[in-house]
Amino acid sequence: REIKKEKRMAALSDKLADAYQNARPRYPIDWFTKLAARTGQHKLAWDVGTGNGQAAIGLAEYFEKVVATDINEAQLKRAVKHERISYHHTPKELSEDKMVALVGGDNSVDLIVAAQAVHYFDLQPFYNIVKRVLRKEGGLIAVWVYNDLVISPEVDAIMKRLVDSTFPYRTPVMNLAFDGYKTMPFPFQSIGMGSEGKPIQLDIPHKLSLKGVLEIWQPAMKAKERGVELVTEDLINQFEDAWGDDDDVKDIFYKAHMIVGKLSSADIERHRKRFESNCVVTKLKDSNNSAVIASVTAAAFAGVAAYCAYSARKNT
């Protein structure tokens, strides 16, 4: 019985992944052009919560290597293959050090992107990893979310009523997305492309059917899990009257909200001190690499610290 249940859940996950792939828009290439133009180097980018790779594909046009990670294996199975993109499944139990190593190590990533994803993350641990792997000079992190659909005045009015009806069933995660990241902590220094509490607004053009709009609309799905059907037959009839055939594909716009930032001078200084501290401990190990020397002269310690400071400058 449990095996059958697992198979049913896997089939459902695959079905939702297919629907999600069809409904999720491709991000405008000029977004990646502008972001790449602001980074210091173009060696490595990290697409966090890649889904099926829409953002990773855009990054691959500008960066030598793209690491794309996601917790959802069903999504990764459908990821768009590219010679410069490596996809990795990252389960929740993956430690910070292992994640840092998987991505490329400390001070290695030129651009981090979380597209329609960061509101699902445990933010503090994620930001800790970002501050470790992001290149200290010239590295950027960009996060964005899209929420409202712009279709036509008739359809938009019905959609607004549906959106308003979801309020009692929204999770805190959903509210971050509905708010367009205005209420989300973002502890990075602004570069003039949005900031904490003040994302920039953008449009994403897309083509979608009514069926595609409603099939994976998460607030309605969450309400359904609690036994409440928000997408009623009457509402569908209203949509169809305003839309036409529910298989008719229309040109639409998603309203998007983006914030881009870099490490602050305080973050960079903390990284330098952490690196020097780790370096000192490493240099104080004996030749068998099995124990830390407990006693050294002040002069010797100062010499090691000076060496580490030099190494830290080279590593930033």
Side-chain angles (χ1 to χ4, degrees), residues 22-23 149 206-210 212-213 243 248-250 252 254:
N22 292 332
L149 285 169
H206 193 46
K207 294 180 180 292
L208 206 59
S209 67
L210 176 60
V213 170
W243 188 290
D248 184 26
V249 176
K250 293 184 179 296
I252 69 168
Y254 284 105

Side-chain angles (χ1 to χ4, degrees), residues 2-312:
E2 286 301 316
I3 293 175
K4 287 182 179 179
K5 181 179 178 182
E6 288 177 7
K7 287 183 177 179
R8 286 198 301 271
M9 292 302 293
L12 178 60
S13 180
D14 287 345
K15 182 179 179 180
L16 289 174
D18 285 335
Y20 188 66
Q21 185 172 19
N22 292 332
R24 191 172 181 179
R26 295 198 64 173
Y27 305 115
I29 193 64
D30 68 291
W31 290 13
F32 301 101
T33 304
K34 291 175 181 177
L35 290 170
R38 301 293 295 271
T39 61
Q41 299 185 47
H42 300 95
K43 293 180 180 178
L44 177 62
W46 177 23
D47 179 20
V48 199
T50 188
N52 43 58
Q54 284 93 337
I57 288 295
L59 292 169
E61 294 295 315
Y62 298 94
F63 293 85
E64 296 174 16
K65 180 182 177 182
V66 178
V67 175
T69 61
D70 204 289
I71 197 172
N72 190 320
E73 289 186 279
Q75 293 284 352
L76 290 173
K77 288 177 184 177
R78 289 155 179 78
V80 182
K81 301 297 185 291
H82 193 287
E83 62 183 1
R84 287 194 290 277
I85 303 174
S86 59
Y87 291 98
H88 303 273
H89 176 233
T90 50
K92 283 184 178 180
E93 59 270 19
L94 201 65
S95 70
E96 177 180 314
D97 285 341
K98 287 184 178 179
M99 178 65 88
V100 168
L102 173 66
V103 172
D106 288 270
N107 193 40
S108 64
V109 182
D110 301 300
L111 176 62
I112 298 172
V113 162
Q116 196 71 5
V118 76
H119 50 283
Y120 292 110
F121 301 166
D122 191 347
L123 289 177
Q124 191 56 58
F126 171 62
Y127 288 151
N128 289 344
I129 293 170
V130 169
K131 290 179 179 181
R132 286 184 59 181
V133 302
L134 198 62
R135 197 178 294 281
K136 303 304 173 280
E137 297 296 334
L140 296 179
I141 173 173
V143 301
W144 63 78
V145 64
Y146 54 85
N147 43 27
D148 292 339
L149 285 169
V150 178
I151 303 165
S152 70
E154 297 79 14
V155 175
D156 294 350
I158 302 169
M159 181 61 75
K160 185 180 185 307
R161 293 201 296 273
L162 175 57
V163 169
D164 291 344
S165 73
T166 68
F167 186 79
Y169 311 102
R170 296 180 195 171
T171 64
V173 165
M174 288 181 183
N175 283 330
L176 285 177
F178 270 100
D179 290 340
Y181 289 173
K182 290 191 227 23
T183 58
M184 187 182 73
F186 191 74
F188 300 94
Q189 185 175 327
S190 175
I191 66 163
M193 297 176 70
S195 60
E196 182 173 290
K198 296 180 180 179
I200 58 172
Q201 295 188 17
L202 302 163
D203 289 337
I204 308 175
H206 193 46
K207 294 180 180 292
L208 206 59
S209 67
L210 176 60
K211 184 178 179 182
V213 170
L214 300 178
E215 195 167 34
I216 64 160
W217 207 60
Q218 290 213 10
M221 291 169 62
K222 289 294 182 183
K224 191 170 184 177
E225 289 173 3
R226 294 168 61 174
V228 179
E229 185 62 77
L230 296 179
V231 185
T232 62
E233 185 174 348
D234 179 60
L235 186 68
I236 291 173
N237 289 335
Q238 293 179 47
F239 269 122
E240 287 178 343
D241 289 342
W243 188 290
D245 187 339
D246 64 353
D247 288 324
D248 184 26
V249 176
K250 293 184 179 296
D251 290 314
I252 69 168
F253 285 92
Y254 284 105
K255 305 302 288 186
H257 312 268
M258 178 187 288
I259 315 175
V260 184
K262 64 180 182 178
L263 295 177
S264 67
S265 56
D267 286 328
I268 295 173
E269 178 64 15
R270 277 192 292 270
H271 170 80
R272 184 187 65 79
K273 289 181 178 179
R274 179 177 179 273
F275 180 85
E276 288 180 9
S277 176
N278 291 343
C279 181
V280 167
V281 170
T282 300
K283 292 299 175 183
L284 291 180
K285 288 184 179 180
D286 67 10
S287 59
N288 292 324
N289 201 31
S290 60
V292 175
I293 298 173
S295 176
V296 293
T297 66
F301 187 88
V304 171
Y307 169 82
C308 291
Y310 168 75
S311 298

